[in-house]
Amino acid sequence: MDLVQKEHERLWKRVKSSKTINDVQKTIDLLQAARDTISVDPTKAPTTLAKLQNPVKTSFDAINDDLKETYSGLNKYTKALDKLFKDRPLPSIEYDALSSQPDLINRAIVMHLLREGQFSVATTFLSEISNKKLPAQSGNVEPNCNKGAEAFAIDQFQSDGIRDQFTIMYHILHQLREESNLIPAIHWARQNREALESRGSNLEFELCRLQFVWLFRGRKEQKASVSGRQAALEYARSDFQAFVPRYLNEVQQLVGAMAFYPNLDDSPYRAIFNNPSAWKDVAHTFTREFCSLLGLSADSPLYIAATAGAIALPTLLKLQTIMKAKRTEWTSQNELPVEIPLPPSYLFHSIFVCPVSKEQATDQNPPMMMPCGHVIAQESLNRLSKSGKLKCPYCPNESQPRDARKVFL
Ligand SMILES: [Zn+2]
């Protein structure tokens, strides 16, 4: 990696200190001067052109020399890159689990594009996969199977109105981010108040609070003006009533901050009024809540899967090399033979390892809690049950196997 960094720096320096642009500019200046001379007095054309010959040739040579230098730097850099990232086959190249599920993969890609707001790319992608499938279907043994899955992807796209929903989401986000306009987002949150509240979401209040701060600060975003304070106060009077039962403290803080307006930055309310990430945070919360009401996660599953895969790839490559050297095979079906640490945001549920069998719990072998509160895996529980009785391996408690409850982590 060091070598690549060094070459990159060298190349960067070379490009920055390059005289190429000056040399090109010099040539242009020469030509322009000659043109001006000729346009003023056309009779001077032959002499001007003759005079031009040598200097133009010199400056072209200079440009070519500069280019040579840039090319050689670029070459060295690409070589360093090639050396670092050798063309190695990816793991599982013998067995490609994804190739048997093209429809699911296509669907994941379409959904990803829609969620990213790449509507026209998604439309092109959909039309291309359906074009590709049509000729294949005529010779396919199971044409219905393909057609069904494809229709499913397009149904999702059209009839479910996912695209329309994401169009709305991007419109609101655009207003919020680019125009500092919170009104469409507040309107949406108000329309979905019940669903948001049942999720315990604070979105509507967060949006309205930011609207209050934005009004308070005034359009210039700098000093709080009289008109800004007045507008904020009026906004609080008309819109905050509904929030009082649940957000009394927060509303009091906002209104209380008014008394500190000449030196808000030294007041206890500084954090509310001077939060540089407030707009970003509220946009993020809005995206998360909008997706969750559609039954989707805040981040695209394809993005998460690809990123997690990229993090895991070096470990898997190493594992493959070791397995080849030792001539062993990867035998466990649903489990990776090595630990692959992922960042906390990539851990979606806790992992339970049965203390009896030392096996990781799965959907087929879930963790079960006995009435005494101890938890073991289903298979261990079955093994320990004798004639309708179950003795806990960790305490003297005895119970019936059917009293054990499945634990969701
Ligand atoms: Zn117990």
Side-chain angles (χ1 to χ4, degrees):
M1 205 63 201
D2 287 348
L3 187 67
V4 172
Q5 236 150 17
K6 226 162 103 189
E7 284 300 337
H8 183 261
E9 270 162 31
R10 205 175 286 167
L11 183 65
W12 185 240
K13 251 187 226 158
R14 208 171 275 184
V15 171
K16 252 169 82 181
S17 65
S18 160
K19 321 183 292 298
T20 320
I21 291 180
N22 291 335
D23 287 337
V24 172
Q25 191 57 49
K26 261 183 218 157
T27 318
I28 296 173
D29 291 344
L30 264 174
L31 292 170
Q32 273 172 344
R35 186 189 62 191
D36 294 344
T37 321
I38 295 171
S39 73
V40 172
D41 183 1
T43 55
K44 280 189 181 165
T47 40
T48 320
L49 285 178
K51 267 190 207 161
L52 214 52
Q53 244 174 17
N54 271 338
V56 168
K57 190 177 174 299
T58 331
S59 61
F60 263 106
D61 287 346
I63 294 171
N64 275 331
D65 284 345
D66 296 338
L67 274 180
K68 259 184 220 155
E69 220 170 283
T70 315
Y71 279 137
S72 87
L74 203 58
N75 254 339
K76 274 186 194 153
Y77 180 53
T78 10
K79 266 187 199 148
L81 273 180
D82 285 346
K83 209 171 158 190
L84 182 69
F85 300 106
K86 282 193 193 104
D87 189 15
R88 284 180 292 198
L90 297 175
S92 86
I93 202 134
E94 305 89 17
Y95 171 67
D96 182 2
L98 301 181
S99 64
S100 58
Q101 302 287 354
D103 294 317
L104 285 180
I105 305 293
N106 286 341
R107 200 182 145 227
I109 295 172
V110 173
M111 284 302 284
H112 175 78
L113 291 170
L114 290 177
R115 311 178 57 129
E116 296 290 308
Q118 304 278 352
F119 302 124
S120 67
V121 186
T123 314
T124 313
F125 181 77
L126 271 173
S127 74
E128 283 190 8
I129 51 171
S130 56
N131 282 345
K132 209 175 151 193
K133 275 186 179 168
L134 283 178
Q137 265 178 25
S138 55
N140 205 312
V141 195
E142 290 175 302
N144 286 334
C145 167
N146 252 342
K147 207 175 165 189
E150 180 199 321
F152 177 64
I154 293 171
D155 274 352
Q156 279 273 338
F157 178 61
Q158 286 170 337
S159 55
D160 282 1
I162 292 267
R163 182 173 68 160
D164 297 344
Q165 289 295 328
F166 278 110
T167 311
I168 296 172
M169 188 182 98
Y170 275 97
H171 168 72
I172 296 175
L173 277 177
H174 176 83
Q175 289 293 318
L176 203 156
R177 286 179 182 146
E178 313 295 331
E179 315 280 336
S180 301
N181 178 9
L182 289 156
I183 304 299
I186 293 174
H187 186 68
W188 180 86
R190 223 155 256 176
Q191 275 180 328
N192 295 284
R193 184 181 280 170
E194 240 172 74
L196 288 171
E197 268 182 19
S198 69
R199 278 178 45 80
S201 162
N202 297 326
L203 179 64
E204 190 187 345
F205 178 69
E206 278 176 34
L207 288 164
C208 291
R209 179 166 62 185
L210 190 57
Q211 175 73 0
F212 177 89
V213 171
W214 180 76
L215 287 168
F216 187 91
R217 285 257 175 224
R219 278 173 197 277
K220 294 261 157 60
E221 276 279 336
Q222 292 305 322
K223 290 266 179 235
S225 62
V226 184
S227 60
R229 289 204 307 278
Q230 193 61 35
L233 197 61
E234 271 164 30
Y235 182 70
R237 277 201 189 114
S238 67
D239 283 59
F240 279 5
Q241 210 55 45
F243 295 124
V244 169
R246 199 170 146 196
Y247 301 99
L248 182 62
N249 270 343
E250 287 84 350
V251 171
Q252 280 173 341
Q253 279 177 358
L254 288 177
V255 182
M258 295 229 140
F260 286 88
Y261 77 87
N263 55 347
L264 251 186
D265 288 346
D266 297 324
S267 77
Y269 306 110
R270 191 182 160 195
I272 306 174
F273 286 82
N274 240 341
N275 180 0
S277 67
W279 288 84
K280 222 173 116 194
D281 294 347
V282 98
H284 185 76
T285 315
F286 167 75
T287 314
R288 199 183 59 218
E289 297 300 337
F290 196 102
C291 289
S292 82
L293 292 199
L294 291 177
L296 302 167
S297 57
D299 288 313
S300 152
L302 185 63
Y303 170 78
I304 292 192
T307 315
I311 296 172
L313 206 52
T315 317
L316 293 178
L317 278 171
K318 201 171 167 191
L319 172 76
Q320 200 188 31
T321 327
I322 294 172
M323 283 200 313
K324 254 190 197 149
K326 295 195 169 172
R327 293 172 192 274
T328 49
E329 294 225 351
W330 181 349
T331 47
S332 35
Q333 271 281 314
N334 294 316
E335 230 177 283
L336 285 171
V338 279
E339 193 72 16
I340 293 178
L342 288 174
S345 56
Y346 282 76
L347 303 176
F348 296 96
H349 56 83
S350 309
I351 295 166
F352 176 76
V353 176
C354 173
V356 178
S357 65
K358 312 283 183 233
E359 273 172 10
Q360 193 173 319
T362 60
D363 284 345
Q364 287 74 40
N365 184 22
M368 303 293 287
M369 185 165 76
M370 294 168 281
C372 58
H374 287 115
V375 183
I376 56 174
Q378 174 82 60
E379 282 173 11
S380 308
L381 188 140
N382 296 345
R383 239 173 276 141
L384 288 170
S385 313
K386 271 178 201 147
S387 56
K389 277 193 179 169
L390 172 65
K391 160 90 182 64
C392 173
Y394 296 99
C395 70
N397 201 298
E398 208 167 18
S399 60
Q400 292 192 318
R402 63 161 192 266
D403 291 335
R405 295 268 184 101
K406 188 170 166 180
V407 179
F408 294 91
L409 296 168

